[in-house]
Amino acid sequence: MGGYKLTEQDYWDEYWRQRESDAVEIKRTKKDLSINILLDVFDRFLPVNENFHVLEIGGAPGQYLAYMHKKFKYHAHSLDYSKRGNEQTIKNLSSMGIKAVVYEKDIFADNFSDGLPKFDVVYSLGFIEHFENFTEAVKRHIDLLKPGGILMIGVPNLGGVYKYSLRYTAPKHLAMHNLNAMNISNWKNFESEFGLIPVFNNYITGFEPLIMKKVEIKNFLTSFFSFIIKALMIIFSFRFSFLRKFNSRFWSGYLIGIYKRN
């Protein structure tokens, strides 16, 4: 069974062309609490092991792989089907002196795993929600994972309260995402089907107004709404970080699962 894509390769080539000057490494910052919380989950549940080989699927531009290498001593591998994204990954990691293997492959191509090794850790962050059949996308992760290896899946949560604003302000952006992949109750299906042992799976970051910042339709109402979003971003900033401790599928900004392969 294939995985119908909600985005195409040309979209991602252009996406990375416009972001060639993005930061090359993920780091903790007072400007983005969501990143800090996500890195806290990594630090809590991923082991340090200099013999581990890690693969990020949808790995461009290598920002998270840099963290994996520096924090956990993993050997870095990236898989992406965007040529421009892969070029940026190589450039970014090389600039930090990190040796990485970059594979230019489509995980839904026939025999995509031919010639690829098995990995100790396989993960993606913001990937499976771009497919109509996200369970099949998860299976492709597991196809590259060693028995007993670690699988990590992360997706932004555009469901809940966010979908109501995005339907009006950014409908094209919303249409590129499978909201069913953002409901944790749907994850039980692939957890059971693939014999995954949960180490951690939950919503994190609390309410994240940044998700609603994108605006495709500009008029008086969306301009006013953008003003409200900027105000909410200040309220849910570092100064009021305690507000981020409350999580639910209705308002949390991110969903992440970490599993052991049985």
Side-chain angles (χ1 to χ4, degrees), residues 58-234:
Q63 296 169 307
Y64 286 98
L65 275 175
Y67 188 86
M68 294 291 174
H69 174 78
K70 291 186 176 183
K71 179 69 179 182
F72 305 110
K73 313 303 180 185
Y74 298 160
H75 299 273
H77 301 254
S78 173
L79 187 154
D80 204 297
Y81 78 160
S82 168
K83 178 179 176 62
R84 189 176 290 272
N86 287 331
E87 291 172 349
Q88 193 166 341
T89 299
I90 294 170
K91 178 181 177 181
N92 286 350
L93 295 178
S94 296
S95 71
M96 291 179 274
I98 298 174
K99 295 181 179 180
V101 181
V102 177
Y103 309 95
E104 190 166 316
K105 285 179 173 285
D106 181 346
I107 69 164
F108 282 102
D110 292 338
N111 303 319
F112 92 98
S113 61
D114 287 359
L116 293 178
K118 302 291 185 181
F119 299 89
D120 302 282
V121 182
V122 175
Y123 74 96
S124 66
L125 303 169
F127 181 82
I128 69 167
E129 76 278 9
H130 292 296
F131 298 89
E132 188 175 76
N133 187 347
F134 66 89
T135 296
E136 182 66 17
V138 173
K139 180 182 182 299
R140 300 303 172 111
H141 290 58
I142 297 170
D143 287 344
L144 298 174
L145 185 64
K146 291 180 179 179
I150 299 171
L151 172 70
M152 182 166 67
I153 301 290
V155 296
N157 181 20
L158 275 61
V161 298
Y162 306 111
K163 65 183 178 184
Y164 298 107
S165 63
L166 291 173
R167 281 174 180 170
Y168 181 70
T169 61
K172 292 181 181 179
H173 175 68
L174 184 63
M176 294 177 182
H177 299 81
N178 182 350
L179 299 186
N180 290 324
M182 303 167 189
N183 187 334
I184 195 171
S185 64
N186 294 329
W187 287 28
K188 294 178 182 178
N189 296 327
F190 68 71
E191 292 169 0
S192 174
E193 181 177 351
F194 303 135
L196 299 174
I197 302 171
V199 176
F200 175 86
N201 59 343
N202 209 343
Y203 292 94
I204 61 173
T205 79
F207 181 65
E208 179 51 86
L210 185 62
I211 292 175
M212 300 181 289
K213 186 178 180 181
K214 188 173 184 63
V215 175
E216 297 168 352
I217 303 170
K218 295 185 178 181
N219 55 39
F220 173 79
L221 288 177
T222 56
S223 297
F224 177 74
F225 189 71
S226 295
F227 173 80
I228 298 299
I229 295 304
K230 290 178 182 178
L232 288 172
M233 289 171 63
I234 295 173

Side-chain angles (χ1 to χ4, degrees), residues 36-51:
N36 299 348
I37 295 169
L38 181 59
L39 296 183
D40 287 343
V41 173
F42 293 174
D43 293 355
R44 182 180 174 188
F45 295 105
L46 296 180
V48 175
N49 192 319
E50 62 184 10
N51 296 316

